[in-house]
Amino acid sequence: MSDFIDTLASVNDVVNDFVWTKVGVWLLIAVGLLMTVLTKCFQVSHLPHWFKKTIGNMFEKKVRSHTGEKASISQFQALCTALAATVGVGNIAGVAGAIVTGGPGAVFWMWVAAFLGMMTNYSENVLGIYYRRKNRAGEWSGGAMYYLQDGLGGKKGFKHIGRILAIIFAICAVLASFGIGNMGQVNKIVINFTSAFDIPALSEVVVFGEGDSAVTLYSIIIGAVLLILVGIVVIGGIKRIANVAEKIIPFMVIMYVLGALIVICVNITSVGKAFGAIFSMAFSSQAVWGGATGVALKQIITMGCKRGVFSNEAGLGSSVMVHSNSNVVEPVKQGLWGIFEVFADTIVICTMTALTILTSGVIDLETGVHTASSDATLVAESFNSVFTFGDFKLGQYFIAIAILLFAFTTVLGWSHYGTKAMEYLAGSKASVATTIYKVLFVIMVMFGATLTSSIAWDISDTFNGMMMLPNLIGVVALSPLVMKLTKNYVDRRIKKLDVPPMLSHFPDIQEMNARIIRETGEE
């Protein structure tokens, strides 16, 4: 069995390296650059507009108010649920891992990936709203599989190609949801929580396994609690997931950013040196960083971009599945939330994590030497450098709770992604299939709490990357449509020209949404 696992891991490493390192990262940058150019650098040229229409409207009733429409959620809930799936372990351990492996220069390339990813995420959400439709239960369904099927598949000679790519995307989304979206997150929760809040009476009781593979009673108890909580929320569907996300995410993001800002302010004299290291090491090989082997420039770029994508998921086509459940009727309006999502996730939260690490002194900016035992521990030590009172190290407890809440909401968000992908695959049998999927998804929580091998989520990481390839093909193929939708929106909403709105691929939904705009002025 061990030989089989080793062989499987080796094969997965080869595929993963190809999907992510040799193709994925560079394709993501290329598509992000393409959409930035085609939309005339919308994220910058219309920055005041999208900022005003997102965070500037955060407290407006039409943005925050819950909708009575079945399985439809508010724009703010859609954002929180999307952030719930993206703001996770990657924002803490992922950023630390990027710095440890690729040096401070990797942070610069995270910013580059985020800047370009804003328009990739924007394009996905615009297409998601434009091609969404109502399912048999009267709920909105949208995502990469639909714009691949109806958008790319609607082009002459591409009907079957569009359908095949849609199926591949949906299958990979389901498989990735079990690993990266579930077991990997739960495993991080258990490891960090049991380490920070150690209870010897539970952690020393080995239920099965031995050595590094030992599973303790503590892990099982934490897993059981998480299983119950995830089950209660997931079985309740998108509205319950959104209700939980809109309560946890804003609170945790604000608390985490405030905590990071305190650490940075205490070490304010080191901020200049931190930024200096980020920019100076972004374009040069670091001969001494990380040991004698050094860090090549290609590795710095790859690690930064890869971790940036892991964090904000721009280009994977995942968050569009929840954005499509928004009560918005204007495709571009939800696209603006996609820009803000990447901005909040990477430019704000990941930068806070990076500066916390680089200014606190827990890592040598010249050599990369540090004493942390893991990526997440590096961040905890950064917080401990300020939040330590005598022998009481508050920082590590704060990070453990942050990872708990971030990872827990990531599990909830990914459950919706997997559900919508399964709904697409099952077709007329969607009701039964999605119920079975949700039950399996909840059960997988316990596997995440008890599995000691990383092979399960290593493979799901590969499937995560394989979602990206068909999605980006769809975005590129439909880029002329994104340009038309963007121009239509700018002409009507910014230039105030009297032109007919472009709201949906389907005539009946187009007319319904146009009527809503005429009657209410809703965007």
Side-chain angles (χ1 to χ4, degrees):
M1 184 65 180
S2 61
D3 291 339
F4 171 75
I5 295 295
D6 292 340
T7 301
L8 185 62
S10 298
V11 172
N12 180 71
D13 287 342
V14 173
V15 177
N16 185 281
D17 180 66
F18 174 79
V19 170
W20 277 110
T21 306
K22 290 185 170 59
V23 176
V25 168
W26 308 106
L27 184 60
L28 279 165
I29 293 175
V31 174
L33 181 60
L34 173 67
M35 300 315 300
T36 296
V37 171
L38 293 180
T39 58
K40 300 178 181 179
C41 205
F42 189 97
Q43 70 270 56
V44 174
S45 60
H46 293 290
L47 188 151
H49 180 78
W50 67 257
F51 219 76
K52 176 184 176 182
K53 291 297 182 181
T54 53
I55 193 171
N57 284 352
M58 197 76 79
F59 298 102
E60 287 193 8
K61 184 177 180 181
K62 65 180 180 181
V63 172
R64 292 186 61 93
S65 61
H66 295 187
T67 173
E69 187 179 356
K70 184 175 182 180
S72 180
I73 57 180
S74 71
Q75 297 166 42
F76 181 69
Q77 285 182 312
L79 171 70
C80 288
T81 307
L83 283 174
T86 56
V87 177
V89 175
N91 296 81
I92 301 177
V95 175
I99 292 174
V100 170
T101 306
V107 177
F108 173 84
W109 294 104
M110 287 182 66
W111 293 337
V112 171
F115 176 78
L116 299 177
M118 287 179 183
M119 295 319 297
T120 306
N121 208 31
Y122 164 87
S123 302
E124 293 169 343
N125 288 338
V126 168
L127 293 171
I129 296 292
Y130 190 75
Y131 284 104
R132 71 178 177 178
R133 80 289 313 282
K134 291 289 184 74
N135 62 16
R136 292 171 180 267
E139 305 166 350
W140 283 117
S141 291
M145 50 277 195
Y146 294 104
Y147 55 74
L148 283 167
Q149 174 186 294
D150 298 326
L152 176 60
K155 295 181 179 293
K156 186 176 180 180
F158 285 87
K159 179 179 180 180
H160 297 298
I161 293 176
R163 175 67 171 164
I164 291 171
L165 289 176
I167 292 173
I168 291 173
F169 174 87
I171 292 173
C172 291
V174 170
L175 295 174
S177 73
F178 287 130
I180 290 295
N182 186 330
M183 292 190 293
Q185 302 293 329
V186 171
N187 190 256
K188 281 291 186 182
I189 291 176
V190 171
I191 290 174
N192 283 279
F193 195 84
T194 55
S195 175
F197 301 94
D198 186 31
I199 303 177
L202 298 176
S203 61
E204 293 177 1
V205 178
V206 177
V207 178
F208 59 87
E210 57 184 20
D212 293 337
S213 300
V215 175
T216 67
L217 179 61
Y218 200 1
S219 297
I220 291 178
I221 291 175
I222 297 297
V225 172
L226 289 173
L227 183 147
I228 293 171
L229 292 176
V230 170
I232 291 173
V233 179
V234 168
I235 300 301
I238 181 58
K239 284 215 167 188
R240 190 175 297 174
I241 293 172
N243 284 332
V244 172
E246 73 170 338
K247 292 177 176 62
I248 293 179
I249 288 298
F251 168 76
M252 198 59 237
V253 167
I254 291 172
M255 291 300 295
Y256 183 76
V257 170
L258 284 176
L261 281 174
I262 292 173
V263 175
I264 294 168
C265 288
V266 169
N267 300 293
I268 193 70
T269 56
S270 299
V271 171
K273 186 177 181 180
F275 275 109
I278 290 172
F279 288 108
S280 66
M281 296 185 183
F283 301 95
S284 62
S285 298
Q286 295 147 216
V288 295
W289 186 273
T293 56
V295 181
L297 179 58
K298 181 179 179 181
Q299 184 179 357
I300 298 170
I301 298 173
T302 301
M303 181 55 63
C305 293
K306 185 176 180 180
R307 291 303 180 186
V309 173
F310 277 172
S311 174
N312 58 53
E313 297 182 12
L316 298 189
S318 50
S319 65
V320 65
M321 288 186 266
V322 70
H323 279 287
S324 296
N325 281 99
S326 168
N327 60 2
V328 73
V329 298
E330 176 80 66
V332 170
K333 184 63 182 293
Q334 202 61 36
L336 303 182
W337 286 103
I339 296 175
F340 179 76
E341 177 190 336
V342 177
F343 172 81
D345 181 272
T346 305
I347 303 299
V348 176
I349 302 175
C350 288
T351 298
M352 290 296 100
T353 298
L355 290 178
T356 300
I357 294 170
L358 297 176
T359 62
S360 61
V362 298
I363 189 167
D364 190 311
L365 296 184
E366 299 296 331
T367 65
V369 174
H370 64 88
T371 58
S373 59
S374 68
D375 299 339
T377 303
L378 186 63
V379 183
E381 288 187 6
S382 300
F383 276 77
N384 281 339
S385 68
V386 172
F387 298 106
T388 295
F389 308 95
D391 294 330
F392 182 69
K393 296 183 177 181
L394 179 61
Q396 66 189 50
Y397 301 119
F398 177 80
I399 293 300
I401 293 174
I403 288 178
L404 167 64
L405 294 178
F406 282 162
F408 176 72
T409 53
T410 297
V411 173
L412 301 183
W414 268 94
S415 73
H416 181 66
Y417 298 167
T419 299
K420 301 310 287 187
M422 180 60 73
E423 176 187 296
Y424 175 81
L425 292 170
S428 61
K429 305 292 185 180
S431 179
V432 175
T434 54
T435 299
I436 294 173
Y437 166 81
K438 289 178 180 179
V439 172
L440 288 175
F441 187 88
V442 173
I443 292 173
M444 287 293 179
V445 170
M446 185 56 75
F447 280 92
T450 57
L451 284 178
T452 55
S453 171
S454 64
I455 185 64
W457 36 93
D458 286 345
I459 292 176
S460 66
D461 175 32
T462 301
F463 284 120
N464 208 2
M466 290 174 67
M467 289 170 57
M468 168 184 59
L469 300 181
N471 174 61
L472 292 180
I473 290 173
V475 171
V476 171
L478 298 172
S479 58
L481 175 61
V482 175
M483 290 174 60
K484 290 180 181 178
L485 290 168
T486 302
K487 184 179 185 303
N488 180 267
Y489 177 88
V490 170
D491 287 345
R492 289 184 297 107
R493 298 297 179 184
I494 299 178
K495 296 182 179 179
K496 305 299 180 181
L497 300 180
D498 184 17
V499 294
M502 294 177 62
L503 306 172
S504 176
H505 173 71
F506 304 101
D508 56 333
I509 299 178
Q510 166 72 28
E511 177 54 35
M512 177 185 70
N513 289 348
R515 185 174 64 252
I516 292 174
I517 289 179
R518 288 195 301 269
E519 294 175 353
T520 67
E522 175 64 44
E523 298 181 18

PDB file of all heavy atoms in Angstrom, residues 359-381:
ATOM      1  N   THR A 359       8.561  42.777   9.534  1.00  0.00           N
ATOM      2  CA  THR A 359       8.946  43.867  10.446  1.00  0.00           C
ATOM      3  C   THR A 359       9.182  43.410  11.878  1.00  0.00           C
ATOM      4  O   THR A 359       9.784  44.134  12.669  1.00  0.00           O
ATOM      5  CB  THR A 359       7.865  44.970  10.481  1.00  0.00           C
ATOM      6  OG1 THR A 359       6.630  44.424  10.976  1.00  0.00           O
ATOM      7  CG2 THR A 359       7.643  45.569   9.103  1.00  0.00           C
ATOM      8  N   SER A 360       8.716  42.221  12.220  1.00  0.00           N
ATOM      9  CA  SER A 360       8.757  41.788  13.622  1.00  0.00           C
ATOM     10  C   SER A 360      10.101  41.208  14.049  1.00  0.00           C
ATOM     11  O   SER A 360      10.328  40.971  15.239  1.00  0.00           O
ATOM     12  CB  SER A 360       7.658  40.750  13.879  1.00  0.00           C
ATOM     13  OG  SER A 360       7.864  39.609  13.066  1.00  0.00           O
ATOM     14  N   GLY A 361      10.978  40.923  13.078  1.00  0.00           N
ATOM     15  CA  GLY A 361      12.291  40.394  13.419  1.00  0.00           C
ATOM     16  C   GLY A 361      12.352  38.891  13.578  1.00  0.00           C
ATOM     17  O   GLY A 361      13.392  38.344  13.977  1.00  0.00           O
ATOM     18  N   VAL A 362      11.275  38.176  13.259  1.00  0.00           N
ATOM     19  CA  VAL A 362      11.277  36.717  13.428  1.00  0.00           C
ATOM     20  C   VAL A 362      11.999  36.015  12.285  1.00  0.00           C
ATOM     21  O   VAL A 362      12.233  34.820  12.338  1.00  0.00           O
ATOM     22  CB  VAL A 362       9.832  36.173  13.540  1.00  0.00           C
ATOM     23  CG1 VAL A 362       9.142  36.735  14.753  1.00  0.00           C
ATOM     24  CG2 VAL A 362       9.039  36.464  12.268  1.00  0.00           C
ATOM     25  N   ILE A 363      12.330  36.788  11.253  1.00  0.00           N
ATOM     26  CA  ILE A 363      13.047  36.210  10.120  1.00  0.00           C
ATOM     27  C   ILE A 363      14.126  37.198   9.680  1.00  0.00           C
ATOM     28  O   ILE A 363      13.897  38.406   9.627  1.00  0.00           O
ATOM     29  CB  ILE A 363      12.075  35.894   8.950  1.00  0.00           C
ATOM     30  CG1 ILE A 363      12.766  35.088   7.853  1.00  0.00           C
ATOM     31  CG2 ILE A 363      11.451  37.144   8.379  1.00  0.00           C
ATOM     32  CD1 ILE A 363      11.804  34.491   6.846  1.00  0.00           C
ATOM     33  N   ASP A 364      15.301  36.691   9.413  1.00  0.00           N
ATOM     34  CA  ASP A 364      16.420  37.535   9.012  1.00  0.00           C
ATOM     35  C   ASP A 364      16.241  37.932   7.543  1.00  0.00           C
ATOM     36  O   ASP A 364      16.209  37.069   6.661  1.00  0.00           O
ATOM     37  CB  ASP A 364      17.744  36.771   9.187  1.00  0.00           C
ATOM     38  CG  ASP A 364      18.972  37.650   9.022  1.00  0.00           C
ATOM     39  OD1 ASP A 364      19.028  38.396   8.025  1.00  0.00           O
ATOM     40  OD2 ASP A 364      19.861  37.592   9.893  1.00  0.00           O
ATOM     41  N   LEU A 365      16.116  39.222   7.269  1.00  0.00           N
ATOM     42  CA  LEU A 365      15.869  39.694   5.918  1.00  0.00           C
ATOM     43  C   LEU A 365      17.054  39.504   4.983  1.00  0.00           C
ATOM     44  O   LEU A 365      16.919  39.627   3.763  1.00  0.00           O
ATOM     45  CB  LEU A 365      15.459  41.171   5.944  1.00  0.00           C
ATOM     46  CG  LEU A 365      14.147  41.499   6.647  1.00  0.00           C
ATOM     47  CD1 LEU A 365      13.821  42.978   6.508  1.00  0.00           C
ATOM     48  CD2 LEU A 365      13.007  40.652   6.102  1.00  0.00           C
ATOM     49  N   GLU A 366      18.209  39.213   5.519  1.00  0.00           N
ATOM     50  CA  GLU A 366      19.393  39.007   4.683  1.00  0.00           C
ATOM     51  C   GLU A 366      19.575  37.544   4.301  1.00  0.00           C
ATOM     52  O   GLU A 366      19.963  37.221   3.178  1.00  0.00           O
ATOM     53  CB  GLU A 366      20.648  39.502   5.415  1.00  0.00           C
ATOM     54  CG  GLU A 366      20.638  40.981   5.750  1.00  0.00           C
ATOM     55  CD  GLU A 366      20.624  41.852   4.511  1.00  0.00           C
ATOM     56  OE1 GLU A 366      21.164  41.407   3.470  1.00  0.00           O
ATOM     57  OE2 GLU A 366      20.070  42.962   4.562  1.00  0.00           O
ATOM     58  N   THR A 367      19.303  36.648   5.235  1.00  0.00           N
ATOM     59  CA  THR A 367      19.586  35.229   5.012  1.00  0.00           C
ATOM     60  C   THR A 367      18.342  34.338   4.958  1.00  0.00           C
ATOM     61  O   THR A 367      18.398  33.227   4.447  1.00  0.00           O
ATOM     62  CB  THR A 367      20.500  34.687   6.123  1.00  0.00           C
ATOM     63  OG1 THR A 367      19.797  34.747   7.377  1.00  0.00           O
ATOM     64  CG2 THR A 367      21.771  35.512   6.217  1.00  0.00           C
ATOM     65  N   GLY A 368      17.232  34.818   5.512  1.00  0.00           N
ATOM     66  CA  GLY A 368      16.027  34.001   5.551  1.00  0.00           C
ATOM     67  C   GLY A 368      15.991  33.042   6.721  1.00  0.00           C
ATOM     68  O   GLY A 368      15.081  32.216   6.824  1.00  0.00           O
ATOM     69  N   VAL A 369      16.947  33.146   7.613  1.00  0.00           N
ATOM     70  CA  VAL A 369      16.996  32.248   8.768  1.00  0.00           C
ATOM     71  C   VAL A 369      15.879  32.598   9.747  1.00  0.00           C
ATOM     72  O   VAL A 369      15.649  33.759  10.067  1.00  0.00           O
ATOM     73  CB  VAL A 369      18.361  32.359   9.493  1.00  0.00           C
ATOM     74  CG1 VAL A 369      18.345  31.538  10.777  1.00  0.00           C
ATOM     75  CG2 VAL A 369      19.475  31.885   8.567  1.00  0.00           C
ATOM     76  N   HIS A 370      15.173  31.569  10.209  1.00  0.00           N
ATOM     77  CA  HIS A 370      14.122  31.758  11.206  1.00  0.00           C
ATOM     78  C   HIS A 370      14.070  30.516  12.079  1.00  0.00           C
ATOM     79  O   HIS A 370      14.618  29.467  11.743  1.00  0.00           O
ATOM     80  CB  HIS A 370      12.766  32.000  10.542  1.00  0.00           C
ATOM     81  CG  HIS A 370      12.273  30.826   9.736  1.00  0.00           C
ATOM     82  ND1 HIS A 370      11.524  29.811  10.270  1.00  0.00           N
ATOM     83  CD2 HIS A 370      12.458  30.515   8.424  1.00  0.00           C
ATOM     84  CE1 HIS A 370      11.254  28.931   9.327  1.00  0.00           C
ATOM     85  NE2 HIS A 370      11.813  29.319   8.200  1.00  0.00           N
ATOM     86  N   THR A 371      13.405  30.634  13.205  1.00  0.00           N
ATOM     87  CA  THR A 371      13.345  29.519  14.160  1.00  0.00           C
ATOM     88  C   THR A 371      11.989  28.865  14.230  1.00  0.00           C
ATOM     89  O   THR A 371      11.781  27.954  15.025  1.00  0.00           O
ATOM     90  CB  THR A 371      13.724  30.018  15.564  1.00  0.00           C
ATOM     91  OG1 THR A 371      12.831  31.073  15.945  1.00  0.00           O
ATOM     92  CG2 THR A 371      15.157  30.539  15.586  1.00  0.00           C
ATOM     93  N   ALA A 372      11.039  29.325  13.414  1.00  0.00           N
ATOM     94  CA  ALA A 372       9.676  28.782  13.466  1.00  0.00           C
ATOM     95  C   ALA A 372       9.650  27.346  12.975  1.00  0.00           C
ATOM     96  O   ALA A 372      10.417  26.950  12.091  1.00  0.00           O
ATOM     97  CB  ALA A 372       8.743  29.638  12.624  1.00  0.00           C
ATOM     98  N   SER A 373       8.767  26.576  13.548  1.00  0.00           N
ATOM     99  CA  SER A 373       8.656  25.159  13.173  1.00  0.00           C
ATOM    100  C   SER A 373       7.766  24.953  11.955  1.00  0.00           C
ATOM    101  O   SER A 373       7.823  23.907  11.307  1.00  0.00           O
ATOM    102  CB  SER A 373       8.108  24.345  14.353  1.00  0.00           C
ATOM    103  OG  SER A 373       6.824  24.829  14.745  1.00  0.00           O
ATOM    104  N   SER A 374       6.909  25.940  11.627  1.00  0.00           N
ATOM    105  CA  SER A 374       6.018  25.818  10.474  1.00  0.00           C
ATOM    106  C   SER A 374       5.662  27.213   9.965  1.00  0.00           C
ATOM    107  O   SER A 374       5.967  28.220  10.603  1.00  0.00           O
ATOM    108  CB  SER A 374       4.740  25.060  10.840  1.00  0.00           C
ATOM    109  OG  SER A 374       3.946  25.822  11.742  1.00  0.00           O
ATOM    110  N   ASP A 375       4.972  27.257   8.812  1.00  0.00           N
ATOM    111  CA  ASP A 375       4.575  28.532   8.227  1.00  0.00           C
ATOM    112  C   ASP A 375       3.662  29.317   9.169  1.00  0.00           C
ATOM    113  O   ASP A 375       3.857  30.511   9.404  1.00  0.00           O
ATOM    114  CB  ASP A 375       3.862  28.298   6.890  1.00  0.00           C
ATOM    115  CG  ASP A 375       4.760  27.612   5.879  1.00  0.00           C
ATOM    116  OD1 ASP A 375       5.990  27.684   6.060  1.00  0.00           O
ATOM    117  OD2 ASP A 375       4.238  26.998   4.937  1.00  0.00           O
ATOM    118  N   ALA A 376       2.626  28.626   9.669  1.00  0.00           N
ATOM    119  CA  ALA A 376       1.668  29.291  10.558  1.00  0.00           C
ATOM    120  C   ALA A 376       2.345  29.726  11.854  1.00  0.00           C
ATOM    121  O   ALA A 376       2.015  30.769  12.425  1.00  0.00           O
ATOM    122  CB  ALA A 376       0.493  28.375  10.846  1.00  0.00           C
ATOM    123  N   THR A 377       3.297  28.921  12.333  1.00  0.00           N
ATOM    124  CA  THR A 377       4.020  29.267  13.557  1.00  0.00           C
ATOM    125  C   THR A 377       4.825  30.535  13.368  1.00  0.00           C
ATOM    126  O   THR A 377       4.990  31.327  14.302  1.00  0.00           O
ATOM    127  CB  THR A 377       4.959  28.111  13.956  1.00  0.00           C
ATOM    128  OG1 THR A 377       4.200  26.917  14.101  1.00  0.00           O
ATOM    129  CG2 THR A 377       5.644  28.408  15.279  1.00  0.00           C
ATOM    130  N   LEU A 378       5.338  30.770  12.164  1.00  0.00           N
ATOM    131  CA  LEU A 378       6.095  31.980  11.870  1.00  0.00           C
ATOM    132  C   LEU A 378       5.213  33.215  12.087  1.00  0.00           C
ATOM    133  O   LEU A 378       5.662  34.212  12.654  1.00  0.00           O
ATOM    134  CB  LEU A 378       6.607  31.944  10.431  1.00  0.00           C
ATOM    135  CG  LEU A 378       7.546  33.081  10.005  1.00  0.00           C
ATOM    136  CD1 LEU A 378       8.828  33.046  10.808  1.00  0.00           C
ATOM    137  CD2 LEU A 378       7.846  32.973   8.506  1.00  0.00           C
ATOM    138  N   VAL A 379       3.971  33.150  11.639  1.00  0.00           N
ATOM    139  CA  VAL A 379       3.048  34.267  11.828  1.00  0.00           C
ATOM    140  C   VAL A 379       2.711  34.418  13.311  1.00  0.00           C
ATOM    141  O   VAL A 379       2.643  35.532  13.834  1.00  0.00           O
ATOM    142  CB  VAL A 379       1.760  34.066  11.000  1.00  0.00           C
ATOM    143  CG1 VAL A 379       0.835  35.279  11.152  1.00  0.00           C
ATOM    144  CG2 VAL A 379       2.091  33.848   9.530  1.00  0.00           C
ATOM    145  N   ALA A 380       2.504  33.285  13.997  1.00  0.00           N
ATOM    146  CA  ALA A 380       2.197  33.328  15.429  1.00  0.00           C
ATOM    147  C   ALA A 380       3.341  33.974  16.209  1.00  0.00           C
ATOM    148  O   ALA A 380       3.104  34.778  17.125  1.00  0.00           O
ATOM    149  CB  ALA A 380       1.938  31.916  15.949  1.00  0.00           C
ATOM    150  N   GLU A 381       4.574  33.640  15.830  1.00  0.00           N
ATOM    151  CA  GLU A 381       5.727  34.241  16.505  1.00  0.00           C
ATOM    152  C   GLU A 381       5.812  35.742  16.227  1.00  0.00           C
ATOM    153  O   GLU A 381       6.250  36.513  17.088  1.00  0.00           O
ATOM    154  CB  GLU A 381       7.016  33.552  16.064  1.00  0.00           C
ATOM    155  CG  GLU A 381       7.169  32.138  16.621  1.00  0.00           C
ATOM    156  CD  GLU A 381       8.532  31.536  16.313  1.00  0.00           C
ATOM    157  OE1 GLU A 381       9.387  32.258  15.767  1.00  0.00           O
ATOM    158  OE2 GLU A 381       8.724  30.358  16.624  1.00  0.00           O
TER     159      GLU A 381
END
